[in-house]
Amino acid sequence: MRILRSSATIKAAVAAVLGALLATSAAAGPSAAAPKTAAVQKDQLRTDLTAGPESAVRYTRTSGYITADYQITFWQGPVLVGTLSGTYVESERLNVKSNTWKRQWTIKATSATGVAQGGVTSLVKVSCGRGSSACTSTGPQTKHVRAGQSVTFGFNITSRGSKILTHKPVLNVTTTAPGYSPAVGNVAAMRTVRCDSEKITNGGRRGCVYPSVVPNFSLSRTSRVWGEMARHVYAAERTLNGQPGYARPLHRTTSDQGTRNRRRSCPSRLHRPRGKECDEYPYASVQEGGGNKGLGKKCNTIDPNATQSCRMIDADDNHKGGGQLTKFYNDNRIIAYRSGSKIIGDAFFSRVP
């Protein structure tokens, strides 16, 4: 009887990024050598996902993309009798306003030799884990893979409940060919997904992001809409002690702490010229905000020994710039919540060019 086996060969240069691309229950050997057994040498089929010239890894706060070489080799004892080659792409698209996101795995087989010209059949399903952090997914899909075709397996994955949960769904792949027993393996898991229903963003509507991606909030200094606020941030982030938001990230805080920060950074006793409002940096909505008491004596002058700055700017610029910051929080699900007495807040930069 012929036996179908699979293994993963990952080059060291991308092992830390791509991880274990295909784990199998069959014994694995180097891709250039024929598989061996202790007794009778049997016909085998191996799947290699390797780093090559087309390999790439890209992530944003809401999207992930991995591509690498794809190859299936057919062996009869020590003899290579067929090869199916190409590339694959694993991608994911999250939604900051939905608890359901999309995962795709696309195989583009470009060439085949020998017995591999008949292709293989792949059954793919999503493994969502167990327990309270488990997600749910649409069902398994089966498709035939052969040279000259691009085949896509697509799934909708959902995070249930209302708590803050993290997910790392894995694609399970069963590969078969006529006359061979099936081989079972896993495609690489992508980055951890976090889903939450915190009211501090998007009105409590559940949504998901990659929390490991640290985004940047930036405003144009030449804008007629919020230029004064952008120019204040530009000067403050480069002058203040530690360069908060520029050299090191800011961390969002809770709404109640944000109110207290604003009162400390822009106290009511400060004189507001007509048409002006007090703008603080770091923002009152971050843990680094509200750092200086008695800041009134230094408002409009940035002290390089201080950790906080305030400036009287055009009221309209202040409102619209603040609106852009709120939009940035919502678009990237920058959340903060209390865990006991500690505030846990997402990190972000605020580098204004």
Side-chain angles (χ1 to χ4, degrees), residues 215-236:
N216 181 64
F217 171 65
S218 179
L219 293 174
S220 171
R221 288 179 288 154
T222 60
S223 170
R224 296 181 179 179
V225 180
W226 50 66
E228 282 199 46
M229 175 179 165
R231 290 189 287 274
H232 178 210
V233 173
Y234 176 87

Side-chain angles (χ1 to χ4, degrees), residues 1-195:
M1 178 183 70
R2 292 182 177 180
I3 297 175
L4 173 65
R5 298 182 181 177
S6 71
S7 67
T9 304
I10 309 301
K11 288 186 178 179
V14 295
V17 181
L18 298 183
L21 291 177
L22 190 62
T24 69
S25 59
S31 60
K36 297 180 179 179
T37 61
V40 180
Q41 200 154 28
K42 302 176 180 179
D43 295 347
Q44 295 185 5
L45 181 150
R46 285 189 302 174
T47 301
D48 292 327
L49 305 180
T50 62
E54 301 301 322
S55 299
V57 178
R58 295 196 297 270
Y59 281 93
T60 68
R61 190 77 169 173
T62 57
S63 65
Y65 176 95
I66 298 174
T67 184
D69 294 341
Y70 172 87
Q71 187 178 79
I72 299 174
T73 52
F74 291 74
W75 298 83
Q76 290 183 359
V79 181
L80 177 65
V81 295
T83 302
L84 180 64
S85 301
T87 58
Y88 83 87
V89 173
E90 188 177 14
S91 62
E92 200 162 48
R93 177 69 66 178
L94 309 180
N95 192 329
V96 297
K97 295 181 180 180
S98 174
N99 61 334
T100 297
W101 68 96
K102 297 183 180 297
R103 169 77 70 87
Q104 288 188 339
W105 189 44
T106 299
I107 301 170
K108 185 178 182 180
T110 55
S111 64
T113 62
V115 297
Q117 295 180 64
V120 295
T121 298
S122 291
L123 182 150
V124 183
K125 64 179 181 179
V126 177
S127 175
C128 267
R130 299 178 180 179
S132 60
S133 292
C135 50
T136 59
S137 171
T138 49
Q141 298 177 23
T142 301
K143 296 186 179 183
H144 192 69
V145 181
R146 64 188 306 162
Q149 295 181 344
S150 180
V151 178
T152 297
F153 301 86
F155 303 92
N156 291 328
I157 304 173
T158 301
S159 173
R160 300 297 184 186
S162 59
K163 296 182 179 180
I164 299 175
L165 298 175
T166 57
H167 307 285
K168 205 173 180 71
V170 176
L171 298 184
N172 299 145
V173 183
T174 300
T175 305
T176 60
Y180 289 76
S181 58
V184 180
N186 297 332
V187 179
M190 302 190 73
R191 288 193 184 186
T192 297
V193 175
R194 184 196 70 199
C195 300

